[in-house]
């Protein structure tokens, strides 16, 4: 029986919808020098392997383009570079280019238009802004390289694409810039930075910006401190500056730990033996609905959860669970229902379900990945 024209259109629409609905997961493996791909099957609460793709030694931070067509991976071995991949409909990665970067970049992101790659260097004390061309490839000559204080760690623009922020782990600061989305260049805001907490050596590392405003009409930024074991809540003001609001402990109270120390440039754990285990926090993410926040601590291999108050963005500690060994990176899906976490000293991923009412995590399964797994990126509508 022949299909009608309308029937064909419906079939195509169904196929398109299915393609758009799929969730792809990519994990950077520093020691293997690869990226492993999976499909997140939300109905079965499982990860389905797609394949393993060569990247380069010390393949680490990754970022997905806003149009979901490109994956960018920081290669932190010499010569320092960024590998760009075309994301195929079936999840396969096809390498498009490899472009030089000024330094070993600990963190990658893009601006909201996808026209610029933003990268921060822990060892180089700088950040770089590189234009992305119409084919998704990163141009070799930076638009701007900004030298910062010690240990630039994470870099992101705000939701309006008008402001840019950089954490300085070695200076205990959050740098604040105005961002010109046309040129890709930044200029210091006024003030150009704020201190993260009053005490020294807190080590501001990764940060997240709330996806929505609270009931007071304010948006929060949450900064994870690598060494102090807490999270700073800041208010994002209309002029792009930030105002400190609160500090919440983020290491499990069941762990008897002492304050951490700044790590060597390689980011490893080769420090003199401590009297107590040292705090070494790593990654932080919010659920897209803004209701729950999660953070990892590497020494104790724990994943901690918090509820977010809809009235003022305040965090309340909910609990901690043991997870993959030395958890470096994780990601949360767009439905706020799943969390995928990697461990640098583990060759497996953990897939968790997130309870929509309580934020509690339930382990669904563990899946093989490469060595030195450290960064997780999701591609989905």
């Amino acid at each position: 029986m022949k299909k009608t024209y309308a029937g064909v259109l419906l079939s195509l629409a169904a196929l398109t919808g299915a393609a758009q609905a799929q969730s792809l997961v990519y994990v950077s493996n520093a020691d293997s020098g690869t990226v492993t791909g999976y499909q997140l099957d939300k109905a079965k609460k499982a990860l389905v392997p797609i394949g393993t793709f060569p990247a380069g030694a010390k393949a680490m931070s990754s970022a997905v383009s806003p149009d979901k067509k490109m994956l960018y991976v920081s290669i932190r071995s010499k010569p320092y570079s960024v590998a760009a991949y075309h994301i195929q409909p079936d999840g396969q990665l096809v390498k498009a280019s490899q472009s030089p970067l000024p330094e070993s970049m600990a963190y990658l992101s893009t601006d909201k238009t996808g026209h610029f790659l933003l990268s921060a260097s822990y060892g180089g004390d700088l950040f770089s802004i590189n234009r992305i061309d119409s084919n998704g490839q990163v141009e070799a000559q930076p638009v701007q390289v900004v030298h910062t204080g010690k240990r630039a760690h994470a870099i992101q623009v705000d939701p309006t694409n008008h402001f840019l922020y950089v954490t300085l782990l070695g200076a205990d600061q959050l740098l604040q810039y105005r961002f010109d989305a046309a040129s890709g260049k930044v200029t210091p805001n006024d003030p150009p930075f704020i201190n993260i907490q009053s005490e020294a050596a807190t080590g501001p590392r990764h940060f997240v910006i709330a996806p929505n405003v609270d009931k007071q009409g304010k948006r929060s930024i949450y900064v994870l401190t690598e060494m102090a074991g807490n999270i700073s809540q800041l208010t994002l003001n209309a002029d792009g500056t930030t105002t400190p609001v609160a500090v919440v402990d983020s290491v499990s109270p069941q762990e008897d730990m002492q304050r951490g120390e700044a790590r060597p440039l390689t980011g490893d754990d080769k420090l003199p033996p401590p009297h107590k285990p040292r705090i070494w926090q790593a990654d932080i993410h919010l659920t897209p609905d803004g209701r729950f926040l999660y953070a990892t601590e590497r020494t104790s291999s724990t994943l901690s959860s918090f509820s977010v108050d809809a009235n003022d963005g305040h965090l309340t500690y909910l609990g901690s669970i043991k997870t993959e060994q030395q958890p470096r990176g994780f990601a949360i899906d767009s439905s706020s229902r799943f969390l995928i976490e990697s461990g640098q000293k583990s060759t497996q991923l953990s897939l968790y379900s997130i309870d929509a009412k309580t934020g509690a995590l339930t382990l669904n399964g563990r899946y093989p990945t490469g060595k030195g797994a450290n960064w997780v990126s999701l591609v989905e509508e």
Side-chain angles (χ1 to χ4, degrees):
M1 183 177 178
K2 292 184 178 180
K3 286 187 178 181
T4 64
Y5 179 68
V8 172
L9 288 180
L10 286 172
S11 298
L12 288 173
L15 287 171
T16 302
Q20 290 177 342
Q22 77 171 338
S23 298
L24 304 173
V25 179
Y26 297 102
V27 180
S28 301
N29 308 300
D31 297 342
S32 297
T34 60
V35 175
T36 47
Y38 311 82
Q39 182 175 355
L40 171 59
D41 187 327
K42 298 185 182 184
K44 295 182 179 179
K45 299 182 180 180
L47 292 176
V48 180
I50 293 173
T52 300
F53 311 96
K58 293 188 179 179
M60 299 187 77
S61 175
S62 62
V64 178
S65 62
D67 64 8
K68 316 297 174 64
K69 294 181 179 180
M70 302 293 299
L71 178 73
Y72 302 101
V73 179
S74 175
I75 308 302
R76 299 185 67 184
S77 57
K78 292 184 178 181
Y80 307 125
S81 62
V82 55
Y85 298 88
H86 289 298
I87 302 169
Q88 304 302 300
D90 61 357
Q92 296 290 311
L93 295 179
V94 176
K95 191 171 182 180
S97 62
Q98 189 149 343
S99 306
L101 290 176
E103 262 288 352
S104 168
M105 296 303 186
Y107 197 103
L108 299 184
S109 63
T110 71
D111 80 311
K112 297 303 180 183
T113 67
H115 293 160
F116 297 98
L117 181 77
L118 317 171
S119 55
S121 176
Y122 180 85
D125 302 336
L126 58 82
F127 66 88
S128 178
I129 301 174
N130 292 65
R131 189 178 297 276
I132 298 172
D133 69 20
S134 59
N135 295 317
Q137 299 182 30
V138 179
E139 295 185 359
Q141 184 63 37
V143 170
Q144 190 176 16
V145 174
V146 178
H147 293 270
T148 62
K150 290 181 63 177
R151 306 294 185 257
H153 212 304
I155 181 169
Q156 293 184 59
V157 292
D158 80 312
T160 70
N161 214 39
H162 293 155
F163 306 103
L164 181 144
Y165 305 94
V166 178
T167 46
L168 289 189
L169 185 143
D172 298 311
Q173 295 174 345
L174 179 72
L175 304 184
Q176 308 177 139
Y177 295 91
R178 299 182 185 92
F179 176 70
D180 183 346
S183 68
K185 293 186 177 181
V186 297
T187 53
N189 210 330
D190 184 17
F193 67 87
I194 64 162
N195 294 315
I196 299 297
Q197 305 172 27
S198 57
E199 56 183 327
T202 59
R205 179 181 166 85
H206 289 183
F207 64 97
V208 288
I209 302 175
N212 40 45
V213 298
D214 58 32
K215 292 184 178 179
Q216 300 179 25
K218 297 179 179 180
R219 189 187 301 272
S220 291
I221 298 181
Y222 302 95
V223 182
L224 186 75
T225 60
E226 180 170 311
M227 299 162 333
N230 53 40
I231 298 170
S232 287
Q233 179 191 353
L234 316 172
T235 293
L236 177 56
N237 303 314
D239 63 358
T241 61
T242 57
T243 303
V245 175
V247 178
V248 177
D249 290 338
S250 49
V251 172
S252 170
Q254 296 179 352
E255 303 292 339
D256 186 19
M257 305 181 74
Q258 69 179 27
R259 179 180 286 269
E261 297 180 21
R263 302 284 162 154
L265 299 187
T266 54
D268 62 22
D269 53 358
K270 295 177 182 178
L271 291 174
H275 296 293
K276 294 181 180 180
R278 288 187 175 93
I279 295 170
W280 196 23
Q281 296 197 112
D283 205 9
I284 182 171
H285 291 285
L286 282 158
T287 52
D289 61 15
R291 299 181 59 231
F292 300 104
L293 180 144
Y294 301 87
T296 56
E297 199 289 315
R298 285 173 279 188
T299 302
S300 61
S301 295
T302 50
L303 178 59
S304 298
S305 56
F306 305 80
S307 62
V308 182
D309 194 313
N311 291 310
D312 57 10
H314 181 76
L315 299 179
T316 299
Y317 175 78
L318 297 175
S320 301
I321 61 171
K322 292 292 184 178
T323 187
E324 298 297 334
Q325 188 176 4
Q326 198 168 298
R328 173 74 175 246
F330 66 98
I332 299 171
D333 83 308
S334 59
S335 71
S336 302
R337 293 169 48 214
F338 296 97
L339 185 152
I340 303 103
E341 188 274 319
S342 67
Q344 281 182 290
K345 292 188 176 181
S346 173
T347 55
Q348 298 181 100
L349 297 175
S350 285
L351 171 64
Y352 298 95
S353 288
I354 300 173
D355 187 288
K357 293 182 179 179
T358 67
L361 298 173
T362 300
L363 181 64
N364 294 314
R366 302 176 74 200
Y367 301 86
T369 191
K371 295 180 180 180
N374 65 91
W375 209 277
V376 183
S377 287
L378 267 76
V379 182
E380 56 185 349
E381 294 301 322

